[in-house]
Every structure is written in C-alpha cells, then in structure tokens.
Amino acid sequence: MVKRISGRKADELREMTAKVGVIPNADGSAIFSFGETIAIAAVYGPRQLHPQHMQDPSSGILRVNYDLLSFSVSDRKRPGPSRRSREISKVTEMALKPVVDISEFPNTVVDVQIYIIQADAGTRTAGINAASMALAHAGIPMKGLISSFAIGKIDKDLIVDVDKYEEDYKEGEGATDFPIAKISGTENYTLLQLDGKMQPELVKKSLDMADKACEEIYEIQKSALKEIINGDGEK
Ligand code: UDP
C-alpha cells in the first residue's frame, strides 16, 4: 500500500470546504478548497458583450479568466496574465461549457473570474469546482455540476488529489499530474489533461477512482448550494 507524507490513503481527497455567496456584488460566487489550495470564483452576467463584433446572435458566450494571486505561492508570482494562466482559463472554459446552456441569451457574455488565493497544487481543479458552484448560484441554466480533482502517481501507485509535494515527486518515471473533471451523476468527462506518463491500464484505473472522488466532491458542492437555498435566500 502506498505511503503518503500526509498520511492520506491512496484514494483519499484532502479536506474540502465549500461556500456559496461569498462576493455580494457578483451574480454568483463560491469558494472551494482542497487542503491548502483555495480558489474563489465570481460570475457576472449574462450581460451584453462588447465589442459588438464578438457577439453571437444565436447564443451567449462563456468567458473564463483564471489567475494565481501574487501571494498565493511561496515565490511571489508576477501579477498579470501568463501563458500558464491563459492555458488554464481555456481548459477551464472547455471543462464548464458542456453543462452551461446560455442559448437563450444571444449577444451576451457570462464572465467567470477565478482567482487562486493559496496554491498547493490542484488549483485548476479547485477553480473548476468553485466556478461550477458560482454558475449555479448565478442561476445560469445548467445540465449538471462539474466536479474536478487531479490524480498523481508515486512509482506505480495512483494517488487521488495530489498536493504540491506529491506533484513534484520525480523518482522513477517522473512527476505525473492528471486533472479530471466530470459531469455529476454521469460518465461524461469534460477535462482529461495528463501531464507526465501513465500506462493505458492506469488511465482506466484513474477513471474508476474518479467516480468515487467526484461523487465526494459533488456532495460538498451540493450541500454548499443547499445551504444558500435553505438560508435567507440571499444571492
Ligand atoms: N505554482 C507555483 N508558481 C507558479 C505556478 C504554479 O508555485 O507560478 C505551483 C502551485 O502550487 C500550483 C502547482 O505549482 O498549484 C502546480 O501547478 P500546475 O501548473 O501543475 O497547475 P495546478 O496543479 O495548480 O492545476
């Protein structure tokens, strides 16, 4: 059995917290954490898209912006967009798009802003979880929630929800980071982004492990959303 520095079992996620309605001025917002990794997401819209030539008369447009805040990492991160943040914004957009139905809002944009307050690996997946809740909180028509986490590997053993120490583990075959996003209650994946090496049978096993992990994440997301519905109704 694989031994993790944190003492977690191979299929054990870090402790999760989730809260909806954390930014009063946004149309929807949420915060989600995996251990030391904390993501906050805010949704604005649907609102008219400018410049006009970017509008789609047949549907609204989903636009995601992800970034790490300067103080979120141990070596201060230079503020402003980077190649990495552009890539993560794009894959997050692709991970969320299949469940978002904004066809009834032509010429508009739904802006999703994701900021990482504290980073210890798995920031794109924590961001996707927060954004999915924030979209639901904003009342955007959705076919389901997206639940996301990353699988890693220590030698030949798969481990769920890698932290930074585990993500940097480079013995044997080198570091492996396999972020996965899934539509709740379905077998449909919206993100499979393998960085590193993995044998085909381990990819299959990763997807099996994702079933349980995504189910646990979904439960946390659902209870956070229910809390706001059952609360004072405030958005
Ligand atoms: N990281 C960092 N500085 C950076 C970018 C990343 O310290 O400029 C750290 C941070 O802890 C992040 C981790 O490296 O969570 C892994 O980054 P990666 O690009 O693999 O994405 P993530 O796992 O966060 O989705």
Side-chain angles (χ1 to χ4, degrees):
M1 208 173 63
V2 64
K3 278 221 162 74
R4 305 177 74 170
I5 291 276
S6 59
R8 280 188 285 153
K9 296 197 204 91
D11 65 350
E12 192 177 335
L13 291 154
R14 283 175 281 183
E15 192 185 333
M16 294 178 274
T17 62
K19 192 168 164 45
V20 170
V22 290
I23 304 175
N25 284 347
D27 293 310
S29 61
I31 190 161
F32 184 94
S33 71
F34 280 130
E36 303 287 300
T37 292
I38 310 171
I40 189 161
V43 169
Y44 300 89
R47 57 189 179 184
Q48 200 169 17
L49 175 59
H50 296 292
Q52 211 171 342
H53 70 85
M54 285 175 73
Q55 292 179 357
D56 180 350
S58 65
S59 175
I61 288 170
L62 183 72
R63 187 165 62 184
V64 174
N65 181 53
Y66 157 104
D67 211 351
L68 284 173
L69 294 178
S70 296
F71 54 80
S72 66
V73 284
S74 42
D75 290 334
R76 178 183 174 274
K77 190 233 160 213
R78 203 167 148 225
S82 63
R83 211 179 135 166
R84 176 180 177 277
S85 69
R86 272 191 287 268
E87 178 226 313
I88 298 182
S89 300
K90 192 75 209 156
V91 297
T92 301
E93 206 171 277
M94 288 159 75
L96 295 168
K97 226 173 170 177
V99 293
V100 173
D101 181 7
I102 42 177
S103 53
E104 299 291 314
F105 305 98
N107 303 322
T108 67
V109 63
V110 173
D111 274 308
V112 181
Q113 298 286 350
I114 302 170
Y115 289 102
I116 305 304
I117 298 170
Q118 196 169 274
D120 184 36
T123 62
R124 77 195 61 200
T125 62
I128 289 170
N129 295 335
S132 169
M133 291 188 292
L135 282 162
H137 180 225
I140 304 294
M142 289 170 85
K143 296 173 193 146
L145 281 178
I146 303 288
S147 305
S148 181
F149 75 105
I151 286 214
K153 197 154 63 83
I154 295 182
D155 300 323
K156 296 246 176 302
D157 290 306
L158 295 175
I159 46 170
V160 160
D161 185 24
V162 273
D163 56 33
K164 182 81 175 103
Y165 180 86
E166 293 171 330
E167 195 181 288
D168 289 344
Y169 180 81
K170 286 193 177 64
E171 294 305 308
E173 296 180 358
T176 301
D177 182 29
F178 186 16
I180 298 174
K182 209 171 166 218
I183 305 177
S184 55
T186 75
E187 286 306 307
N188 299 326
Y189 302 93
T190 62
L191 173 72
L192 294 172
Q193 202 187 4
L194 177 61
D195 183 10
K197 285 185 186 164
M198 199 178 268
Q199 293 74 9
E201 62 276 15
L202 288 188
V203 173
K204 166 91 183 51
K205 199 171 164 207
S206 298
L207 299 183
D208 291 341
M209 286 170 99
D211 282 350
K212 176 172 168 277
C214 288
E215 188 56 39
E216 287 174 35
I217 298 163
Y218 178 50
E219 287 305 319
I220 299 279
Q221 293 173 299
K222 234 178 13 183
S223 12
L225 282 161
K226 274 190 188 152
E227 217 166 277
I228 199 114
I229 295 167
N230 299 336
D232 53 10
E234 167 203 349
K235 251 192 40 174

